[in-house]
Amino acid sequence: MIDTVRLMAWLSPGYPVGAYAYSHGLEWAVECGDVGGEASLLAWLGDVLERGAVRTDLILLAHAHAAAEAGDVPALMEVNDLAVALAPTRELHLETTQQGRSFVDATRAAWGLPELDRLSEALPGEVAYPVAVGLSAGAHRMALAPVLAGFGLAFLQNLVSAALRCAPIGQSAGTRVIASLTPRVAGLAATIPPLSLDEIGSATLRLDLGSARHETQYSRIFRS
């Protein structure tokens, strides 16, 4: 039970990682018309989930979790180096590394234990967000399956929250989108544990290009 409660706390909107400041390219997608209502938001998020960052992040999280459970510092460093390098734009790099560092610092301060401190000290610089969560969960010996599903759903919930602020999407529509995606999150999470790092791949080129263009967007409220 304590693991479930801890996971809910870590992935809640109130956890001090600054997730509210990022839209993962959604703000540009709204600006250029790719997302303009409930149906297009659902389609866009479905691609992020199954063909983009969520799938990639879940694989990275699983490998960070395994390395932390084994106390394998070199493996943990290797996963983190890969995760940081995979960010396709400056803004998405900032999104993952700022949240990752904030997550590690907040978790060590509030939920610290010697093994988490030891492993975290091996990553004194940039830490990718999924690696930070996997590291913390592995150090706490939390079961992997709920962490994967919870992280995936929290990722999408944050983007729906962003959509409420920058797109013509109401709260009821946002809730329906999350309800539609929840079983897809669970299904994806179940496929992740046996996957190797070589099976990471994404096909969200328009999102990546939009993220690069977001840097020069005239009016914006998000950092990515």
Side-chain angles (χ1 to χ4, degrees), residues 10-25 53 57 80 84 91-107 125-136 151 154-159 165 222-224:
W10 286 359
L11 298 177
S12 75
Y15 210 65
V17 299
Y20 63 87
Y22 300 98
S23 80
H24 198 74
D57 280 3
N80 187 60
V84 172
E91 290 194 349
L92 294 178
H93 177 273
L94 175 65
E95 179 179 305
T96 192
T97 56
Q98 184 271 304
Q99 290 187 84
R101 173 50 57 193
S102 297
F103 187 92
V104 168
D105 292 346
T107 304
E126 294 178 330
V127 184
Y129 187 34
V131 173
V133 176
L135 156 64
S136 301
F151 182 90
F155 193 116
L156 297 180
Q157 286 178 312
N158 185 65
L159 296 187
R165 286 172 278 164
F222 296 99
R223 300 182 75 183
S224 72

Side-chain angles (χ1 to χ4, degrees), residues 126-176:
E126 294 178 330
V127 184
Y129 187 34
V131 173
V133 176
L135 156 64
S136 301
H140 279 86
R141 298 294 189 268
M142 294 164 65
L144 177 61
V147 177
L148 290 172
F151 182 90
L153 186 62
F155 193 116
L156 297 180
Q157 286 178 312
N158 185 65
L159 296 187
V160 168
S161 176
L164 297 179
R165 286 172 278 164
C166 71
I169 304 292
Q171 290 184 329
S172 295
T175 301
R176 288 193 295 269

Side-chain angles (χ1 to χ4, degrees), residues 56-220:
T56 293
D57 280 3
L58 292 185
I59 296 173
L60 293 165
L61 189 161
H63 282 266
H65 182 278
E69 275 198 325
D72 189 340
V73 169
L76 183 63
M77 295 173 65
E78 180 181 357
V79 173
N80 187 60
D81 287 346
L82 176 62
V84 172
L86 284 173
T89 67
R90 181 182 65 85
E91 290 194 349
L92 294 178
H93 177 273
L94 175 65
E95 179 179 305
T96 192
T97 56
Q98 184 271 304
Q99 290 187 84
R101 173 50 57 193
S102 297
F103 187 92
V104 168
D105 292 346
T107 304
R108 289 183 67 182
W111 306 85
L113 74 169
E115 182 66 358
L116 176 59
D117 291 340
R118 183 183 76 86
L119 294 169
S120 299
E121 286 165 5
L123 303 175
E126 294 178 330
V127 184
Y129 187 34
V131 173
V133 176
L135 156 64
S136 301
H140 279 86
R141 298 294 189 268
M142 294 164 65
L144 177 61
V147 177
L148 290 172
F151 182 90
L153 186 62
F155 193 116
L156 297 180
Q157 286 178 312
N158 185 65
L159 296 187
V160 168
S161 176
L164 297 179
R165 286 172 278 164
C166 71
I169 304 292
Q171 290 184 329
S172 295
T175 301
R176 288 193 295 269
V177 167
I178 290 296
S180 295
L181 290 171
T182 296
R184 293 167 65 179
V185 171
L188 175 64
T191 71
I192 296 299
L195 299 182
S196 71
L197 293 174
D198 290 337
E199 292 174 277
I200 287 175
S202 66
T204 53
L205 181 60
R206 189 164 175 83
L207 185 156
D208 296 343
L209 292 173
S211 173
R213 291 169 178 163
H214 183 261
E215 296 180 14
T216 58
Q217 192 169 326
Y218 177 74
S219 177
R220 62 183 193 171

